[in-house]
Amino acid sequence: MHILITVLVCFFAGMGAGLGTGFAGMSAAAVISPMLITFLGMDPYLAVGIALSSDVLASAVSAYTYGKNKNLDIRNGLIMMASVLAFTVVGSYIASIVPSATMGSFSVVMTFLLGVKFILRPVMTTKEAMQSISAKKRAVQSVVCGVIVGFICGFVGAGGGMMMLLILTSVLGYELKTAVGTSVFIMAFTALTGAVSHFAIGGAPDWTVFALCVVFTLLWARIAAVFANKAEPKTLNRATGVVLVVLGAVVMLFKLVG
């Protein structure tokens, strides 16, 4: 019975994470972490490590799909990634000395709030708007934003997705699909750095949960990315918002009842 529950939790966590990653470049940790913490009683620090591991292949396959459809800004993505990688390690270390309850609660609340944001205020930036920002200004912004995103990514495993997309669209003026493609491109590397640092500091994960989450997230991310590149921006926003709101609400309700 325990195995069945584990598989079901990992399946739904992977489905939610994969859809979020493929459709709107969201970090798998925003979905997987709170579900593993709440439904399997896993230590929040190790749960984030597994979630970040699930992000690696899911983000990589999504980035490939977006890049093939010319919705990826590699040049500026690499600039931001340098800052993100450095501060992901810093955030991961600080997370190891912060009370676990703080990490778990933050992940759950942010999952719900981000979903509400995408439903009420969808990102409708155009590619024309992207071109209005100078290359020099965007490079400087990328470094500063990368520091912020990296720290949060390492701390709760959620910055790569929850913050990245908001920054790329709202601060750097990216069109949605290009923002998603660039976000998952960066996330593939930040997630790898975060996962390695988490396991190096906190120890080995539950390998069964690890494998299930990675496979399910990869599968759904690939399916979502293929459809996302053919969908309208508003549809992508709403679909991702609904997924995150439902998952966030369910986890918070379970915490209150339990």
Side-chain angles (χ1 to χ4, degrees):
M1 188 60 152
H2 176 69
I3 292 296
L4 178 60
I5 293 175
T6 298
V7 172
L8 287 176
V9 170
C10 291
F11 174 79
F12 285 110
M15 179 174 70
L19 291 176
T21 298
F23 272 119
M26 312 314 298
S27 170
V31 178
I32 293 178
S33 297
M35 290 194 72
L36 295 184
I37 293 168
T38 303
F39 297 107
L40 297 183
M42 184 173 290
D43 175 75
Y45 192 75
L46 290 180
V48 169
I50 290 177
L52 286 169
S53 300
S54 301
D55 249 340
V56 179
L57 292 180
S59 295
V61 74
S62 295
Y64 170 77
T65 303
Y66 277 91
K68 197 166 72 170
N69 286 276
K70 302 184 187 303
N71 290 316
L72 172 60
D73 183 356
I74 295 180
R75 181 174 177 276
N76 287 291
L78 288 172
I79 293 175
M80 182 181 287
M81 184 171 68
S83 297
V84 171
L85 288 175
F87 279 81
T88 293
V89 177
V90 175
S92 181
Y93 172 73
I94 293 179
S96 69
I97 58 178
V98 171
S100 296
T102 302
M103 295 170 60
S105 298
F106 182 83
S107 297
V108 174
V109 174
M110 284 304 294
T111 297
F112 180 81
L113 292 180
L114 190 64
V116 172
K117 185 272 175 190
F118 270 81
I119 292 175
L120 299 180
R121 299 190 64 183
V123 178
M124 300 301 290
T125 314
T126 63
K127 285 191 175 181
E128 286 71 26
M130 287 178 59
Q131 299 172 354
S132 66
I133 302 176
S134 69
K136 182 178 180 180
K137 181 179 180 181
R138 179 167 289 158
V140 173
Q141 290 175 325
S142 295
V143 173
V144 175
C145 293
V147 169
I148 297 172
V149 170
F151 177 80
I152 297 177
C153 182
F155 185 66
V156 296
M162 290 198 291
M163 293 296 293
M164 193 87 68
L165 190 62
L166 292 175
I167 287 175
L168 289 174
T169 54
S170 302
V171 179
L172 302 184
Y174 275 60
E175 174 266 339
L176 182 60
K177 289 185 181 179
T178 304
V180 174
T182 305
S183 176
V184 291
F185 170 73
I186 297 173
M187 278 167 47
F189 296 94
T190 59
L192 178 61
T193 303
V196 171
S197 59
H198 262 67
F199 294 144
I201 295 171
D206 180 320
W207 293 111
T208 299
V209 175
F210 175 91
L212 289 171
C213 286
V214 169
V215 172
F216 288 139
T217 304
L218 174 62
L219 173 65
W220 286 102
R222 170 58 179 170
I223 293 172
V226 170
F227 282 101
N229 278 277
K230 300 178 182 179
E232 293 296 323
K234 196 169 186 178
T235 301
L236 299 184
N237 278 271
R238 297 289 166 80
T240 304
V242 169
V243 169
L244 295 180
V245 165
V246 171
L247 289 172
V250 169
V251 176
M252 284 192 288
L253 179 62
F254 187 85
K255 275 181 170 292
L256 289 175
V257 175

